[in-house]
Amino acid sequence: MGKAKSYDVAVVGAGVFGAWTAYHLALRGASVVLLDGYGPGNSRASSGGESRIMRLGYGRDRIYSESAHRSLKQWLQLFSSRADPGKEDYQYFRPTGMLWLAREVDDYCQAVLDNLQTIGARYEKLARTELDKRYPQVNFGPVRWAVLENDSGVIMARRAVRAVVAEAIKRGVTFRKRSVTAVPSQPIVNSVSLDNEELVFAERFVFACGPWLPKVFPELLSELIHVTKQEVFFIGPPAGNALFDSSNFPTWIDFNDQVYGMPNLDERGFKIAIDAHGETFDPDSGERIVSKHSIETVRRYVSERFPMLANAPIIETRVCQYENTSSGDFLLDRHPAMENVWLAGGGSGHGFKHGPAVGEYMANLMEGGSPEPRFSLASKEKVYQRRVF
Ligand SMILES: Cc1cc2nc3c(=O)[nH]c(=O)nc-3n(C[C@H](O)[C@H](O)[C@H](O)COP(=O)(O)OP(=O)(O)OC[C@H]3O[C@@H](n4cnc5c(N)ncnc54)[C@H](O)[C@@H]3O)c2cc1C
């Protein structure tokens, strides 16, 4: 029997972080195998949802505004190489605009505005009178003003991840639908075991396992990454009502109420979700059924903010999970006890848009690039205190 092939890098997990990491490593000439037990953009993965917000605003966190700005360029470049305007399936990015709803005194939204200016993004500041005029379908209540990011919008998440994997494969990456079941606890890892008992050999390993990271490295990460159940609702506007379509309404966030939503894309319904963290969740065995409490919360919010939808039905729901670090900062670092193993995760409910920048960062880090302290393992705490929104 011939000797098993050894890759330069094995990337475990083909969510948005792993897919972009594999892509960037392949661009640099590495031989890469990308492994995922459930497949790219699967329904259990955090990247497996229908849609994700692509925004540039991050309050005072300029590091994430800049990362999102860099990432948007790469997303658009990758999508344009696959564009087929005649096919909806290829419209991975929807430039809906992104509206920040602000209170009278609103430090977060003020900082969003300042940072958008600094990074040179296009935006509009809208007074309440302008909001009422533009969006009569909304009862703005305590909202006094807003910021509209003109060039932001929505990435069709599951399809986008699959597109990144397809592009990575074109650049030489080998994809295998296999789960890594054992990682030897050694200072230098030569191989990992798969679910079919095969071994995969590589010089270096990246574990981009999202909410599964605490299962893969329980001793290291079970107290540093908290996996929470997150529920998403799609409300069906009345027949003939286009006011909630993307031509009439943008994607929006109201962090004061911890709620965000998207217009009715591809006639799947008006999306609304609660950003507050839910109960602890198991990504393998968790039943993906929304709770009665969340249904009531969403209905209450919709009736108040979007009165036209007060009696509109919930036409679809999804349950996903956030993989939260203590602060909400990503975890992108080398394993402290395994010299040739890297960790990429901790997306914390906002990671999707950053896939390209994360992939690039990981490739740089593995080549000896300088680490960002906020992404380090050392900066992660056991006591939970969310700072990034
Ligand atoms: C409801 C919801 C809304 C969100 N909204 C936004 C948003 O609007 N904007 C935004 O930017 N971000 C958003 N996020 C966050 C974003 O989706 C995540 O941060 C991001 O998708 C995390 O990607 P990942 O690659 O780290 O993890 P995942 O996508 O979960 O990928 C991990 C992969 O690893 C695989 N895997 C795990 N263990 C193994 C193993 N042992 N062997 C092989 N494969 C393995 C899994 O099958 C999976 O495919 C949201 C998340 C949720 C849940």
Side-chain angles (χ1 to χ4, degrees):
M1 209 157 73
K3 195 171 177 295
K5 177 176 167 73
S6 181
Y7 294 90
D8 292 332
V9 188
V11 178
V12 185
V16 76
F17 283 4
W20 274 103
T21 300
Y23 178 87
H24 275 291
L25 288 166
L27 283 188
R28 294 170 190 212
S31 66
V32 180
V33 61
L34 176 62
L35 301 156
D36 197 301
Y38 294 122
N42 68 79
S43 279
R44 287 177 170 98
S46 295
S47 308
E50 176 82 0
S51 45
R52 294 287 182 259
I53 298 177
M54 176 72 238
R55 59 167 155 119
L56 305 180
Y58 260 92
R60 285 181 208 293
D61 281 312
R62 193 139 125 226
I63 184 175
Y64 289 109
S65 289
E66 285 170 350
S67 163
H69 207 200
R70 269 202 318 282
S71 293
L72 177 57
K73 288 182 191 139
Q74 288 192 45
W75 278 118
L76 294 180
Q77 211 172 5
L78 185 128
F79 296 153
S80 74
S81 71
R82 299 174 63 79
D84 184 343
K87 288 195 188 133
E88 203 168 68
D89 273 5
Y90 287 86
Q91 293 166 12
Y92 302 100
F93 177 65
R94 308 297 171 88
T96 62
M98 218 312 291
L99 188 69
W100 292 96
L101 303 181
R103 301 294 191 265
E104 184 74 50
V105 178
D106 197 314
D107 290 349
Y108 187 97
C109 288
Q110 186 55 49
V112 164
L113 200 93
D114 296 343
N115 268 338
L116 291 176
Q117 202 164 21
T118 310
I119 64 174
R122 280 201 319 132
Y123 69 89
E124 290 171 71
K125 183 177 178 186
L126 304 176
R128 172 64 181 263
T129 45
E130 180 62 21
L131 287 172
D132 288 332
K133 205 160 79 190
R134 276 197 204 186
Y135 310 117
Q137 62 278 59
V138 186
N139 167 21
F140 282 102
V143 174
R144 288 287 166 272
W145 56 283
V147 186
L148 179 65
E149 294 184 13
N150 302 92
D151 300 321
S152 294
V154 173
I155 296 177
M156 305 313 282
R158 170 175 42 85
R159 276 189 260 148
V161 169
R162 296 178 72 84
V164 178
V165 173
E167 292 299 317
I169 290 169
K170 274 194 207 161
R171 285 156 184 79
V173 170
T174 301
F175 173 75
R176 296 193 60 196
K177 187 171 171 179
R178 285 281 168 211
S179 181
V180 170
T181 50
V183 185
S185 189
Q186 294 163 348
I188 295 192
V189 174
N190 295 315
S191 65
V192 292
S193 311
L194 302 183
D195 54 280
N196 62 351
E197 289 174 17
E198 202 183 314
L199 295 176
V200 165
F201 293 87
E203 293 292 318
R204 291 170 294 171
F205 295 82
V206 180
F207 285 84
C209 301
W212 285 266
L213 270 179
K215 288 192 177 203
V216 182
F217 299 105
E219 276 177 37
L220 188 67
L221 297 178
S222 62
E223 290 184 277
L224 299 182
I225 293 182
H226 310 272
V227 181
T228 56
K229 180 180 182 185
Q230 303 299 142
E231 294 155 306
V232 176
F233 296 81
F234 294 83
I235 312 286
N241 182 332
L243 285 173
F244 297 93
D245 290 0
S246 57
S247 46
N248 292 312
F249 198 59
T251 297
W252 54 278
I253 294 179
D254 187 346
F255 275 152
N256 292 291
D257 284 342
Q258 291 192 291
V259 182
Y260 64 89
M262 290 174 197
N264 179 14
L265 296 169
D266 298 350
E267 317 303 347
R268 308 304 302 166
F270 181 71
K271 177 172 168 176
I272 181 158
I274 313 282
D275 186 51
H277 294 169
E279 63 202 48
T280 301
F281 193 73
D282 184 313
D284 287 301
S285 61
E287 293 260 45
R288 293 178 189 261
I289 297 169
V290 295
S291 70
K292 220 171 140 215
H293 173 73
S294 299
I295 295 174
E296 284 162 11
T297 308
V298 164
R299 280 211 183 283
R300 217 175 308 121
Y301 187 86
V302 168
S303 304
E304 199 177 306
R305 187 70 83 237
F306 308 102
M308 270 178 202
L309 299 179
N311 298 314
I314 294 168
I315 52 173
E316 202 172 312
T317 59
R318 281 193 62 83
V319 171
C320 190
Q321 65 279 307
Y322 287 172
E323 51 292 311
N324 307 292
T325 60
S326 51
S327 60
D329 279 320
F330 302 152
L331 167 60
L332 309 172
D333 202 351
R334 194 195 286 251
H335 191 291
M338 300 176 178
E339 216 178 291
N340 62 337
V341 170
W342 278 262
L343 310 167
S348 305
H350 68 102
F352 193 90
K353 66 185 81 57
H354 299 281
V358 166
E360 202 167 36
Y361 180 88
M362 291 308 294
N364 287 340
L365 197 64
M366 293 167 75
E367 283 176 359
S370 60
E372 160 58 48
R374 285 181 69 171
F375 300 155
S376 69
L377 182 68
S379 69
K380 305 297 175 282
E381 291 165 17
K382 291 180 183 167
V383 179
Y384 187 66
Q385 200 182 1
R386 187 178 184 185
R387 285 191 289 270
V388 181
F389 287 87

